[in-house]
Amino acid sequence: MGVAERYEVQLQCARCGRLTWHLVAPQAGGQSRITCVVCGRGTVVDTLQFVEEYVGSLVRRVVAKPLELGGEALHYPGRFLTTFPGRVVTKPFRVAAELRTTLDILRGAGVRRRSTPLRVGPRESPPARRAFRLLLSAPVLWAQETLDVLRRAKELGYDGVELWAFSLRREGVDPSAVRRTAHELGLVLTLHAFSWDLNPASRLEAIRQASVRELHESLELASQVGAGVVALHPGHVTVPHDEGAVYWNTLVGVLQELADHAMQLGVQLAIEHMEPRQGELVVYPEQANALVRAVGRSNVGITLDVAHIPWGENEAAFVRSLDPVVHVHFSDADEARLHLPLGQGRRDLVSALRALGDYSGCVVLEGFSMSPGEELARWNKGRFEELWQEVVAGAGGCAEGRPL
């Protein structure tokens, strides 16, 4: 089903017990599949019945709004006075947008109005358990500060967040506050090491030393915030068209040094295979596997980045060829663009997920949006839940901890 045939609406989720965002996917026969973004609960319902109930809930929310505003003015007068003018202006447009969405859903499902609606009981798919934890890449919410990113990730149903070392340094956030907030929210943290402008394999000693120093800082930062895994880029050639072998021993030595430091801190290193562009040293499984074997440390493995898989390669075969996969970055891609929102590229994402088998680490949903809001974080979470339902359905309902 195409990405244009999905709609985002707010509904009361029976499992979450609150109003949450849902993806609505109109299907054939006048039915729609509704998936909770937060918990992954999926339900197939009669579209006309759903729209009638949704419009009813929308009307009830509009009617209740004056009472809600009155309570807010009484208890939080400062916030009320600050935000009320903007809400007065935007509320009619938001209500109109929700009504427009209901019409689009009806058209997408090919529903025709009938005098007696067909009442079909919903077919529910409970949230499918998985062995791994689903994390939000912090740059997806690039306009928000770190502690707010953690809180929003929790509200959207993520199991954790992958922080970026550069963002933490730029913001100047207290690592102990990050660690404490994540613990209070029950979130898992990982860290993406400094990477921009760095080359730990450089033939220029000053650049290599500066890069290695920043990577050691990344490890210390990971320990301070309580991140158990650090994803890092392996470096690239200094001189165009150099043979990779020229850099091999240097890179192996640097990674051994970093791994020994990480071992002292209780941190795992996850070396990321890069996209196939000139100068990259680690692109294909045989290169990543050979590098991990050469480093020879038990706390060193591979970060699978699904968007980085060379175009034309079979996704499932590529995933199965990497060993060992200790971390995953997950986003869509096409022939020319990387890190697209899930469903907006041409990757076989379901096959890639199936190939992970009983993987029990972290899967980080990546991407980039020009919007300062949470739309991409919400969309990716909902689309991932749909993809995971496909994975489980195709595996005959295999659940957590069993190979798919």
Side-chain angles (χ1 to χ4, degrees):
M1 177 174 294
V3 67
E5 296 174 285
R6 286 176 171 79
Y7 305 90
E8 288 186 301
V9 297
Q10 285 188 296
L11 302 169
Q12 187 73 21
C13 176
R15 186 170 189 269
C16 296
R18 61 185 175 93
L19 198 67
T20 62
W21 285 96
H22 288 66
L23 287 188
V24 179
Q27 299 180 333
Q31 295 188 321
S32 293
R33 179 172 186 83
I34 304 171
T35 303
C36 177
V37 167
V38 175
C39 72
R41 175 178 177 263
T43 311
V44 177
V45 299
D46 174 70
T47 299
L48 187 57
Q49 177 183 342
F50 156 71
V51 168
E52 290 173 348
E53 294 173 353
Y54 173 62
V55 172
S57 70
L58 176 60
V59 171
R60 287 192 295 272
R61 278 188 281 146
V62 171
V63 170
K65 181 58 69 173
L67 292 176
E68 179 184 324
L69 292 174
E72 183 178 334
L74 179 63
H75 295 97
Y76 308 101
R79 185 175 70 184
F80 174 79
L81 291 174
T82 302
T83 62
F84 182 70
R87 284 187 285 180
V88 168
V89 172
T90 61
K91 186 63 176 180
F93 295 100
R94 285 184 279 134
V95 171
E98 292 197 61
L99 292 174
R100 172 63 184 271
T101 296
T102 63
L103 294 175
D104 287 343
I105 292 170
L106 286 170
R107 282 195 292 265
V111 174
R112 298 291 181 267
R113 185 167 300 280
R114 46 184 180 257
S115 58
T116 306
L118 175 64
R119 300 292 173 175
V120 179
R123 301 197 306 275
E124 182 173 333
S125 300
R129 294 190 304 164
R130 43 195 176 236
F132 57 81
R133 287 155 295 183
L134 192 64
L135 274 59
L136 169 69
S137 178
V140 171
L141 296 178
W142 56 267
Q144 299 189 27
E145 295 185 346
T146 298
L147 299 185
D148 291 329
V149 170
L150 297 182
R151 298 184 185 101
R152 196 66 194 116
K154 179 67 174 182
E155 291 171 0
L156 289 173
Y158 286 94
D159 302 314
V161 174
E162 176 152 295
L163 305 170
W164 277 53
F166 182 84
S167 300
L168 294 176
R169 176 182 289 179
R170 179 178 58 187
E171 184 182 330
V173 63
D174 180 4
S176 63
V178 175
R179 185 183 191 120
R180 182 173 60 253
T181 301
H183 177 74
E184 291 171 353
L185 295 172
L187 294 175
V188 174
L189 295 182
T190 62
L191 183 79
H192 197 299
F194 291 109
S195 59
W196 296 323
D197 287 345
L198 303 190
N199 185 9
S202 177
R203 295 175 68 178
L204 300 174
E205 185 175 356
I207 291 177
R208 184 176 67 253
Q209 289 181 353
S211 299
V212 173
R213 183 170 61 250
E214 293 296 338
L215 291 174
H216 279 295
E217 287 292 322
S218 297
L219 297 177
E220 291 288 346
L221 188 54
S223 177
Q224 292 167 13
V225 300
V229 177
V230 173
L232 60 86
H233 294 180
H236 47 86
V237 303
T238 301
V239 182
H241 310 297
D242 260 355
E243 293 292 333
V246 175
Y247 301 82
W248 188 258
N249 290 337
T250 298
L251 180 57
V252 169
V254 165
L255 291 174
Q256 287 174 334
E257 176 187 330
L258 292 169
D260 291 342
H261 184 194
M263 183 75 75
Q264 296 172 3
L265 298 172
V267 172
Q268 177 145 40
L269 286 186
I271 303 169
E272 186 171 344
H273 67 91
M274 304 305 295
E275 61 266 40
R277 61 186 176 190
Q278 182 180 335
E280 295 294 351
L281 295 172
V282 180
V283 174
Y284 293 94
E286 55 269 24
Q287 296 168 326
N289 297 345
L291 183 58
V292 169
R293 288 195 299 268
V295 173
R297 299 294 192 269
S298 61
N299 64 328
V300 175
I302 298 169
T303 294
L304 160 68
D305 192 311
V306 174
H308 288 177
I309 297 174
W311 194 257
E313 294 278 331
N314 179 278
E315 287 89 352
F318 191 98
V319 172
R320 286 193 289 265
S321 296
L322 290 171
D323 183 39
V325 173
V326 298
H327 198 54
V328 176
H329 289 165
F330 201 79
S331 59
D332 213 336
D334 60 22
E335 296 93 330
R337 300 171 298 168
L338 302 179
H339 305 302
L340 296 174
L342 298 184
Q344 295 188 16
R346 297 178 57 200
R347 284 283 181 216
D348 188 345
L349 299 175
V350 171
S351 292
L353 283 173
R354 285 182 181 143
L356 285 173
D358 57 358
Y359 169 74
S360 59
C362 295
V363 174
V364 182
L365 300 190
E366 293 190 311
F368 178 75
S369 171
M370 295 297 292
S371 168
E374 66 173 37
E375 293 86 357
L376 179 58
R378 196 171 65 224
W379 172 267
N380 274 349
K381 179 61 164 59
R383 285 293 288 124
F384 188 90
E385 297 297 350
E386 290 184 335
L387 291 168
W388 189 246
Q389 289 285 354
E390 289 186 50
V391 170
V392 173
C398 285
E400 179 180 358
R402 290 187 290 229
L404 296 171

